Structure formats: C-alpha cells, structure tokens
Amino acid sequence: MTIPELPLLTLSDDELQLLTALRSDLLSQRFKLELLDAYFNGEQVIRDLGISIPPQLKGLHTVIGWPRIGVEALEQRLDLEAFRWADGSDSSDLDEIAESNDLYDEASLAHLDALTYGREYVSVGSGEEGDPPLITFESPLDMTMFWDARLRLATAALRESIEDGVRIATLYLPDQTVYAAEVDGGWEVFDRDEHRLGMVPVLRMANRQRTADRIGRSEITPEVMSITDAACRRLMGIEVAAEFFGAPQRYILGASESAFQDAEGNAKSAWETYIGRVLALERDENGDVPTVGAFTAHDPSGQTRIIDLYARIMSSQLSVPPHMLGYTSDNPASADAIRSSEGALVKKAERRIRRFSATHRDAMRLALWFRDGEPPPKERRIECVWRNPATPTIAAQTDAAVKLAQAGIIPAESDVLLEMAGLTEEQRRRVAADRRRAQGAALLDRLAQVAETAPEPEVGDGGDSL
C-alpha cells in the first residue's frame, strides 16, 4: 500500500529563501523604475536650484514631454505582424496561439515597457481546459528573475500582485510554478503547477543589453533626464519672467501725490494706477509737466533660443529628428533631409527588432511545448514578421519590387515581392487566395475550351464508339 504524495501547503525552506531573495531584488529596483516612469509621464519633480524662483511660485510645475516622445517614436516603428514557420509550412497553429492571447496588440505594450524600463518579462503557462497556452507580458514593477548568464536561462522568477487586498506571489521554478498568498505575515500555498519542463517558463525582453549587463537599460538615460530637467527649469524661468517682467514697468518723475488719488482723495491701488489708460497729470508750481516713461519689457527670445539648443542636444541623445521635439529652423528641411535625419532612429529600430524577435520566438516555442507536451524540433525555426521600420513610400517599395521581378532575381509569383511592396501579412494571404481562385477559374476555362474543340467520337453500326 502506497501513500499518495500530497502537495505542500507551505513553502519549503529553499523556496522561502528564494522567494525572499527575489522580493528583495524586486523592491530594490522599484525606485529606479518608478523614477523612469515619472519622466515618461511628465510627473518628475524638477530639481530647483533655489536661486531664481520665488517661494510663491514653488508649486508651479512645468512639463516637457521629450522622454515620452523619444520612447514612443522608437516604439511606433516596432510593429509585430505575424509568426510563421521558416520552412514555409502552414502556420495556422502559431496564428491560433497569437490570436487567443491578443499577442500583436500586447506586444506593443511590452515593447513600450522594455524601452521605458529597460526590460519586460514574458511568462508562459497552461491555458484553461481546451484553450491554447497562455502568454502574458509582465511589468518589471511586478516581476523579477535570477539569470544564468552562461546558460542564458532564468533560474527562478517571481511575480507579485494584489488581488482583493491579498498579496499574491507566483514563484516560477524549473519544474513547477508555485502560487502563494500572504497570510498573517507568512505564505500559504494554494496551488502548484508541476509542468516538469526543466526550465523556468519566463523570458526577459531586455533593451540595450551589454555583456556585463544582461538586465537592460532604459532609453531614458541620465543624459535625457538632465536635459529634460534643464529645459523644464528654463520653461519655469519664462513663467516667472512673465509674472514679474512680462508687462513693461512705468515710471513717473515730478508728479504730485494727488495724481495717485481718486476723486474722493483715497489712494489708488498699484494695479489701478498701472492699468489706467489715461494718466491725467497736472503741471507743478513751476509749470513743468511730469516726465512719464517705461522700461523695456522682458524679451523671452533669449530663453527660447536656449530651449532650442536643448532640443538639438536631446535630438542627438534620443536619435530622433529635431522637428519631433519642436525645434524648427527658418528654412524647412526637404523630404530627403528629413529621411536622412531619421536614419539613426531606423537603425535603432532594426536592432530592437532583432533583439525582441528572439524573445517572441522563444515565447512561442514555450507555448507549443505547453500545448504538445514536448518542445518543437530545433530544426523548425519560427520567424517573426515585422513591418518595415523605415516607412518608405508605397511608390518606392513597389518600384523596388517590380525591378527585382523584372531582373529575374525574385519570381513574380513569390510572396517575398508582396512583403517588399509593403503589404501586411493579412493582405498577402488575401492576395494568395485571389491567386488560387484566379488559377482555378483559368483552369476551368481551359477545360471548357478543350471540351468545345475536341472532335465528336465516331459511332459504329452497333452504336459503339470506334
């Protein structure tokens, strides 16, 4: 008689130590991530020098959204369109997993987080009974992992969330996933998914990796933060100048006290004196007229030129054209100049596509592993289909495709030409379906013509054809 093995209702000592270490890592990174998030949302606290801004205007908050513009300009060029098998076989199984997880829309959110925070996490698990596997993207604010740089695999991962006021911890291990809830200062396990994969089903989508830093870095670098703060302080200086020096200050020499009194002899306020359209001043006892004049109003053009300088510096840091940051010159740039200025941004997008494709492919292979119970063969490679980040004109794309077909480099019926012409994956499938229908209709027409031109069979006396 054997006693069945029951799942542990509490974390083992090793699991508890691992969870504690992962939580410490998660909390230690949260302040940096929240600071990056504040710069992206324009909610950062400006570091005031305490010199030019009076205490009454300390609550004034100026915002300049250059970090968000730079990150979104790069993310908008990362459009994941489809998954397909590299050998050209039917990819409907990949489409089913992607569509059930709304993967193409969710991928844009993952790319945005990876560019903002420097990393994003992808977890894969079993779906509900009969449903495809589940692929979810997790924010680094809620998830972290331990990484083996030699094997390029995660050794453990943790995700924290709060559901109905209860803190939930999901501990990902190589052979199982443990779900625990915080109860009375401890952890109580309420589920264990023993997948037996031999690896942690969590991947990291890292941005700007280095060999000594596999975690990734944000596009909002310290240089970007510094220039953003400087530009915000300059905008605040313009606001302060508008309050104190925006209107020209007047001066009156040789006026009597009655010039600043109303008809009843009460002294006028400074504002009433200032906004008076007509200054009726009497001559003094010597018959001289008081001298009236005005100081030159504050000119903000000096401040705006400095902001333009910051925009040009920020343009080089974010690899975006200056006009995206609001900088304009007297001579508008030509279309070729604009495309040339986007070269660095396009190249950066191509590098991100290569890096992020590896994560998307591995996530899809993990999903197939969960679905089939075994990993797909290594020789069957998965490809990610992306929209061209360079965004050339349709005429230029079509012209290039036509020339390649005319030169015989690519067959005219090839799907590669449709991709080069800028058609999306769905449009290419519709074109392929139209081709099949046209070929079927042409075949029926030929059969009908053959039937019409064929000679009538000869009939013998007995009614049999010869």
Side-chain angles (χ1 to χ4, degrees):
M1 182 176 179
T2 58
I3 300 176
E5 232 180 84
L6 298 177
L8 294 175
L9 297 181
T10 58
L11 296 173
S12 65
D13 292 339
D14 292 340
E15 292 171 346
L16 183 59
Q17 292 178 3
L18 190 57
L19 186 144
T20 303
L22 285 166
R23 286 198 71 202
S24 299
D25 181 69
L26 180 63
L27 295 175
S28 66
Q29 298 293 329
R30 182 159 292 175
F31 174 76
K32 297 178 182 178
L33 298 176
E34 289 178 347
L35 179 63
L36 294 170
D37 193 59
Y39 272 91
F40 180 83
N41 294 321
E43 299 172 347
Q44 78 277 13
V45 178
I46 305 300
R47 292 189 289 271
D48 176 27
L49 301 180
I51 300 174
S52 60
I53 300 176
Q56 293 82 358
L57 295 179
K58 289 292 186 182
L60 182 64
H61 183 60
T62 55
V63 178
I64 191 163
W66 287 344
R68 178 184 56 80
I69 292 173
V71 171
E72 289 186 345
L74 179 56
E75 189 277 325
Q76 288 167 2
R77 294 175 182 264
L78 307 178
D79 288 332
L80 180 63
E81 290 189 341
F83 292 92
R84 65 188 177 196
W85 293 105
D87 56 10
S89 58
D90 183 28
S91 59
S92 57
D93 52 346
L94 303 180
D95 292 336
E96 180 185 8
I97 295 175
E99 293 294 339
S100 64
N101 288 280
D102 198 15
L103 209 55
Y104 304 125
D105 289 337
E106 291 291 317
S108 65
L109 304 180
H111 301 157
L112 188 61
D113 273 4
L115 298 175
T116 303
Y117 299 122
R119 58 191 178 276
E120 178 79 348
Y121 296 101
V122 188
S123 63
V124 184
S126 304
E128 299 295 333
E129 189 67 26
D131 291 341
L134 190 63
I135 302 177
T136 57
F137 296 102
E138 305 291 349
S139 169
L141 289 169
D142 304 320
M143 195 169 199
T144 188
M145 68 160 53
F146 287 161
W147 180 260
D148 189 328
R150 185 179 67 86
L151 298 177
R152 299 180 185 177
L153 292 173
T155 58
L158 174 70
R159 177 183 181 272
E160 273 199 6
S161 61
I162 296 179
E163 301 177 10
D164 298 329
V166 179
R167 187 179 301 277
I168 304 297
T170 304
L171 182 62
Y172 297 88
L173 301 174
D175 292 325
Q176 63 178 328
T177 301
V178 184
Y179 302 90
E182 188 177 29
V183 179
D184 297 331
W187 295 96
E188 182 177 314
V189 177
F190 61 87
D191 192 15
R192 289 178 182 267
D193 179 15
E194 299 186 2
H195 47 73
R196 304 293 181 184
L197 294 179
M199 64 174 292
V200 177
V202 177
L203 304 168
R204 180 167 55 204
M205 183 182 293
N207 179 58
R208 297 177 60 219
Q209 279 187 332
R210 300 179 64 186
T211 53
D213 181 10
R214 296 290 183 174
I215 296 178
R217 295 286 180 175
S218 170
E219 293 295 321
I220 306 176
T221 60
E223 306 93 275
V224 172
M225 296 182 190
S226 175
I227 299 170
T228 302
D229 289 345
C232 287
R233 283 195 297 268
R234 192 60 57 182
L235 285 176
M236 190 176 294
I238 294 176
E239 294 288 342
V240 173
E243 292 289 337
F244 290 94
F245 310 110
Q249 292 179 311
R250 296 175 180 175
Y251 62 87
I252 302 174
L253 303 177
S256 62
E257 186 178 355
S258 61
F260 304 99
Q261 296 176 348
D262 57 17
E264 299 177 356
N266 299 320
K268 295 181 181 179
S269 65
W271 182 247
E272 290 174 335
T273 304
Y274 183 80
I275 65 174
R277 295 187 178 181
V278 179
L279 293 179
L281 301 176
E282 299 178 352
R283 295 178 182 270
D284 58 12
E285 61 273 8
N286 298 324
D288 297 328
V289 179
T291 303
V292 180
F295 295 104
T296 304
H298 172 70
D299 183 10
S301 61
Q303 306 275 15
T304 58
R305 283 196 295 269
I306 295 177
I307 294 178
D308 288 342
L309 171 64
Y310 289 152
R312 295 199 299 271
I313 297 174
M314 184 68 79
S315 172
S316 65
Q317 296 294 332
L318 295 175
S319 301
V320 299
H323 68 267
M324 287 189 176
L325 303 177
Y327 173 76
T328 57
S329 59
D330 296 334
N331 298 321
S334 63
D336 291 336
I338 292 175
R339 281 194 293 270
S340 176
S341 65
E342 293 179 351
L345 182 61
V346 172
K347 189 60 182 178
K348 184 185 286 188
E350 291 173 350
R351 290 293 180 88
R352 300 304 180 271
I353 285 175
R354 172 175 291 186
R355 171 58 57 185
F356 294 166
S357 290
T359 305
H360 287 302
R361 288 195 303 266
D362 291 343
M364 188 59 70
R365 294 185 71 87
L366 269 176
L368 293 172
W369 194 345
F370 270 95
R371 188 195 66 180
D372 302 332
E374 59 181 6
K378 291 184 178 180
E379 59 272 12
R380 294 198 70 193
R381 293 189 303 107
I382 298 175
E383 289 184 348
C384 298
V385 182
W386 300 79
R387 191 181 296 275
N388 187 355
T391 61
T393 62
I394 296 178
Q397 289 178 287
T398 305
D399 182 63
V402 169
K403 288 180 179 178
L404 287 173
Q406 290 175 345
I409 299 176
I410 300 177
E413 298 80 12
S414 174
D415 184 65
V416 177
L417 287 179
L418 300 179
E419 185 175 345
M420 293 185 62
L423 273 66
T424 64
E425 184 74 13
E426 183 62 29
Q427 289 172 336
R428 294 197 293 271
R429 291 174 183 171
R430 291 165 59 186
V431 170
D434 292 341
R435 284 176 176 174
R436 289 192 295 269
R437 283 194 294 268
Q439 291 172 356
L443 180 61
L444 291 176
D445 291 342
R446 290 185 61 186
L447 291 175
Q449 292 175 2
V450 170
E452 290 177 357
T453 58
E456 294 291 336
E458 297 181 6
V459 181
D461 294 340
D464 296 331
S465 62
L466 297 178

